[in-house]
Amino acid sequence: MQNKIIKFSEDTSFISCGSAVGKCEHEGPIGDCFDIHDKTDQFGMKTWEKAESEMQRLALNTALAKVGYSEHDIDVLFAGDLLNQCVGSSYGLLDFDIPYFGLYGACSTAIEGIMLSAMVCSAGYFDRCAAVTSSHNSSAERQYRTPIEYGGQRSPTAQWTVTGSGAFVIGKGNGVRVSEALPGIAIEKGINDASNMGAAMAPAALDTLLRYFRISGKSAADFDLILTGDLGWEGGSILCELAQANGYDIKKKYNDCGMIIYDREAQDMHAGGSGCGCSAVVLASYIIPKLSRGELSDILVIGTGAMMSPSSILQGESIPAIGHLIRLQKPKGEI
Amino acid sequence: MQNKIIKFSEDTSFISCGSAVGKCEHEGPIGDCFDIHDKTDQFGMKTWEKAESEMQRLALNTALAKVGYSEHDIDVLFAGDLLNQCVGSSYGLLDFDIPYFGLYGACSTAIEGIMLSAMVCSAGYFDRCAAVTSSHNSSAERQYRTPIEYGGQRSPTAQWTVTGSGAFVIGKGNGVRVSEALPGIAIEKGINDASNMGAAMAPAALDTLLRYFRISGKSAADFDLILTGDLGWEGGSILCELAQANGYDIKKKYNDCGMIIYDREAQDMHAGGSGCGCSAVVLASYIIPKLSRGELSDILVIGTGAMMSPSSILQGESIPAIGHLIRLQKPKGEI
């Protein structure tokens, strides 16, 4: 393994972003930022799975529409979600006549897609890529846990799967830059409680962050924000403690998309948001616009994912997790 | 969408391959080619899912051992499988301390992984990548259909999920070349019979093949072999007929990994082999060695995948499919 941070050409940047979310996300602290929302979470569809696919279609269409693009302007799609066999993406994006790479990185898929898009665009294989991901609370509940009608009691460390889809159009331009990437290594530290994903994922986020700091010689002081995908309040505090124990104080710079998207007091979301859609919609509609306006200038984002399945948990396996890191910077020159 | 075939540097090539298979695959016509086999299909594990993970570990270890590599020599993994949440890969490769990109391309995953590995190596992001995939008949039967103990009757058009895992180490070298790639577009033509994947996937393979022929100006006459991943006898004959109807006679050059791996007469495999492991083990242990020895010199491989889930089929959806194309050439110079 080479100890190398991948660096992209200076013009590798976000051309456009789009998001679609459900009721709870719209009612949260950044609810007004999202492009599209549906208070029924159904998006006009008969099943939760089809609703999830429809969100992906809407998110990508919105991202394209913002810059006047059609499907012909996108050379390749990187997409994935949490549904078995990633059908949220395969059905949701079927209408688009665009070459398709399916990804599975659990909740890290948004960052995995952005990272791969930046690689293939910066290398010149494609002019413009789109990275799309989604999750839906109701499709996730019945697949991973129990149908929502069952009304199961949730553990305090459990997170709430975000109903949302984010789409990112990436290519050469002068927008918010994807400047560096460091892919994550799958890590498993003995956590086998599927109601405590934050604890399972925090060591993976730490591993990538420490590798980044060690290779680059940088620390939290060099960045405006160190943002994780969906560790939530439980996993986020574990990450900060583990970083401290390793000699890096990140607490003042740290935040998490799963903490940003819901109001801890007013909304009863337990340990915070999670799911493929969580980091996707927060990045697409809240963080990247802040970079674009110059309110943030240089940040690290670590997409976190827990790569177990209901079967592997029932078979007594621990939870492998991963953290993919990208560095985002405000547009060059201007504001 | 750009109408462009991706071309890789002349030294982008396979450094090593490894395979592990089960009983039926070892008893098939190319059974002696595979590196490792287990007549119990269990690989010493207590569950079929863990057996599948173990095959991935063995296949990658074998590929590394052949060239004296350790995990430190591999910069990044591209891996995926058919199990829900791709746990075959996330658990199987957890022992390797290597950055990990999870993929889901259904049965096209082996080719998707080779394609992405070639892209990132040819572009210079990484020196050496490994692409790993697997499928296991018994884990697939109980997840997609019924547990094998149920003894369900199979349809004549149904394919047999291959028990096997293939691993490919890709980087700069003078081995069998990955010279070109053309990613597939997801296509859905109204087939909703999950026992006839060949029919669902043939139009996707056709779409990519026709795009390749049209862009390159080439035809079947320019290649020694046009190989699909797992259309089987049913899907393979549909592809040849559809190609003929579009003005391309590919029949004499055509073969399919799902047809190669089993003996149609002696083994009762109905429409042939399928699964992420099918194209992976046939390529790793039969086709790439033939290119290496100069028995084949220039071939097209189309990895085919059907991207539905049991839920999407129950909800009445048709089957979206994809075909990713790579061109492989014998080593430059030599033999």
Side-chain angles (χ1 to χ4, degrees):
Chain A
M1 191 182 88
Q2 61 198 14
N3 262 326
K4 197 174 94 175
I5 294 163
I6 298 171
K7 292 180 192 297
F8 301 117
S9 64
E10 289 203 350
D11 54 357
T12 302
S13 59
F14 292 97
I15 293 173
S16 182
C17 304
S19 64
V21 299
K23 179 174 185 284
C24 297
E25 295 69 29
H26 179 62
E27 289 172 354
I30 61 166
D32 290 339
C33 300
F34 302 118
D35 296 314
I36 293 174
H37 71 276
D38 180 346
K39 287 183 180 173
T40 70
D41 285 6
Q42 291 183 314
F43 292 88
M45 297 290 144
K46 284 188 181 170
T47 71
W48 300 124
E49 289 75 17
K50 290 184 191 176
E52 181 167 348
S53 288
E54 178 64 4
M55 284 195 300
Q56 285 213 10
R57 199 185 66 79
L58 290 169
L60 179 54
N61 254 343
T62 303
L64 296 179
K66 282 183 187 175
V67 285
Y69 281 1
S70 76
E71 60 180 354
H72 305 298
D73 297 303
I74 305 296
D75 298 324
V76 70
L77 294 170
F78 287 95
D81 57 90
L82 295 175
L83 292 179
N84 294 342
Q85 288 73 55
C86 301
V87 289
S89 310
S90 59
Y91 286 96
L93 304 175
L94 193 52
D95 283 353
F96 299 96
D97 199 21
I98 307 172
Y100 175 97
F101 285 110
L103 304 180
Y104 185 78
C107 306
S108 74
T109 305
I111 306 304
E112 183 185 359
I114 291 169
M115 193 180 275
L116 287 168
S117 295
M119 280 190 207
V120 298
C121 284
S122 179
Y125 292 122
F126 303 103
D127 293 330
R128 281 176 296 271
C129 299
V132 191
T133 51
S134 66
S135 53
H136 193 297
N137 186 270
S138 302
S139 65
E141 284 299 313
R142 68 175 170 190
Q143 178 181 285
Y144 285 101
R145 290 164 286 266
T146 51
I148 43 172
E149 294 84 350
Y150 183 82
Q153 179 76 24
R154 301 173 64 238
S155 146
T157 57
Q159 293 173 250
W160 184 269
T161 305
V162 164
T163 297
S165 170
F168 306 87
V169 177
I170 292 160
K172 308 227 165 190
N174 51 12
V176 172
R177 292 176 59 199
V178 188
S179 54
E180 296 179 347
L182 187 65
I185 296 172
I187 303 263
E188 180 266 294
K189 293 286 187 193
I191 304 288
N192 57 10
D193 176 3
S195 290
N196 194 352
M197 297 292 194
M201 295 189 291
L206 178 80
D207 178 78
T208 311
L209 185 63
L210 292 184
R211 279 195 294 132
Y212 181 85
F213 282 160
R214 284 170 190 157
I215 301 171
S216 68
K218 293 192 164 77
S219 71
D222 295 297
F223 301 95
D224 300 327
L225 174 68
I226 293 169
L227 182 73
T228 46
D230 57 347
L231 296 183
W233 283 285
E234 180 76 11
S237 69
I238 295 172
L239 174 64
C240 290
E241 275 179 45
L242 291 173
Q244 188 79 56
N246 280 274
Y248 291 95
D249 182 3
I250 64 168
K251 216 172 250 174
K252 283 179 198 152
K253 298 295 178 73
Y254 178 73
N255 212 336
D256 179 79
C257 298
M259 286 153 51
I260 292 171
I261 196 166
Y262 298 126
D263 186 317
R264 194 176 191 179
E265 304 302 320
Q267 296 180 290
D268 182 27
M269 299 313 198
H270 295 48
S274 70
C276 278
C278 181
S279 54
V281 301
V282 173
L283 271 183
S285 293
Y286 182 67
I287 299 293
I288 292 172
K290 271 183 177 288
L291 283 155
S292 183
R293 293 189 300 263
E295 294 164 28
L296 289 170
S297 65
D298 197 346
I299 73 170
L300 296 181
V301 184
I302 305 169
T304 41
M307 300 188 299
M308 84 303 164
S309 76
S311 299
S312 72
I313 296 296
L314 288 172
Q315 292 181 3
E317 300 276 336
S318 297
I319 301 172
I322 199 155
H324 289 301
L325 181 147
I326 51 176
R327 180 180 177 189
L328 305 184
Q329 293 180 268
K330 68 175 182 184
K332 267 195 103 75
E334 64 22 77
I335 314 290
Chain B
M1 190 183 90
Q2 60 198 12
N3 262 326
K4 198 174 94 174
I5 294 163
I6 298 170
K7 293 181 192 295
F8 301 117
S9 64
E10 290 203 348
D11 54 357
T12 302
S13 58
F14 293 98
I15 293 172
S16 181
C17 303
S19 64
V21 299
K23 179 174 186 281
C24 298
E25 295 69 29
H26 178 61
E27 289 172 354
I30 60 167
D32 290 339
C33 300
F34 302 118
D35 296 314
I36 293 174
H37 71 276
D38 180 346
K39 287 184 180 173
T40 70
D41 285 5
Q42 291 182 315
F43 293 89
M45 295 291 142
K46 282 188 183 170
T47 72
W48 300 124
E49 290 75 19
K50 290 185 191 176
E52 182 168 346
S53 289
E54 178 64 6
M55 284 195 300
Q56 287 212 10
R57 199 185 66 79
L58 290 169
L60 179 54
N61 253 342
T62 303
L64 296 179
K66 281 183 188 176
V67 286
Y69 281 2
S70 77
E71 61 180 353
H72 305 298
D73 296 302
I74 305 296
D75 298 324
V76 70
L77 293 170
F78 287 96
D81 57 88
L82 295 174
L83 292 178
N84 294 343
Q85 288 72 54
C86 301
V87 288
S89 309
S90 59
Y91 286 96
L93 304 176
L94 193 51
D95 283 353
F96 299 95
D97 199 21
I98 307 172
Y100 175 96
F101 286 109
L103 305 180
Y104 184 78
C107 305
S108 73
T109 306
I111 306 304
E112 183 185 358
I114 292 170
M115 193 180 275
L116 287 168
S117 296
M119 280 189 207
V120 297
C121 284
S122 180
Y125 292 121
F126 303 104
D127 294 330
R128 281 176 296 270
C129 299
V132 191
T133 51
S134 65
S135 53
H136 193 298
N137 186 270
S138 303
S139 65
E141 283 299 313
R142 69 175 170 191
Q143 179 181 284
Y144 284 100
R145 290 165 286 265
T146 50
I148 42 172
E149 295 84 348
Y150 183 82
Q153 180 75 22
R154 300 173 66 238
S155 147
T157 56
Q159 293 173 250
W160 184 268
T161 305
V162 165
T163 298
S165 170
F168 306 87
V169 177
I170 292 160
K172 307 226 165 191
N174 51 11
V176 172
R177 291 176 58 200
V178 188
S179 54
E180 295 179 348
L182 187 65
I185 295 172
I187 303 263
E188 181 265 293
K189 293 287 186 192
I191 306 288
N192 57 10
D193 176 4
S195 289
N196 195 352
M197 298 292 194
M201 296 190 290
L206 178 80
D207 178 78
T208 311
L209 185 63
L210 292 184
R211 278 196 294 131
Y212 182 85
F213 282 160
R214 284 169 191 158
I215 302 170
S216 67
K218 292 193 165 77
S219 70
D222 295 298
F223 300 97
D224 301 328
L225 173 67
I226 294 168
L227 182 72
T228 46
D230 57 346
L231 295 183
W233 284 286
E234 179 76 8
S237 68
I238 294 172
L239 173 63
C240 289
E241 273 177 46
L242 291 173
Q244 187 78 56
N246 281 274
Y248 291 96
D249 182 4
I250 64 166
K251 216 171 250 173
K252 283 179 196 152
K253 298 295 179 73
Y254 178 72
N255 211 335
D256 178 79
C257 299
M259 287 153 52
I260 291 171
I261 197 167
Y262 298 126
D263 186 317
R264 195 176 190 180
E265 304 301 320
Q267 295 180 291
D268 182 27
M269 299 315 198
H270 295 45
S274 70
C276 278
C278 180
S279 54
V281 300
V282 172
L283 269 183
S285 293
Y286 182 66
I287 298 295
I288 291 172
K290 270 182 179 290
L291 284 156
S292 183
R293 294 189 300 262
E295 294 164 27
L296 290 170
S297 66
D298 197 347
I299 73 170
L300 296 180
V301 183
I302 305 169
T304 41
M307 298 189 300
M308 85 302 163
S309 76
S311 299
S312 72
I313 295 296
L314 288 172
Q315 291 180 5
E317 299 277 337
S318 297
I319 301 172
I322 200 155
H324 289 302
L325 181 147
I326 50 174
R327 179 180 177 189
L328 305 184
Q329 293 181 270
K330 68 175 183 184
K332 268 195 100 74
E334 66 21 76
I335 314 288

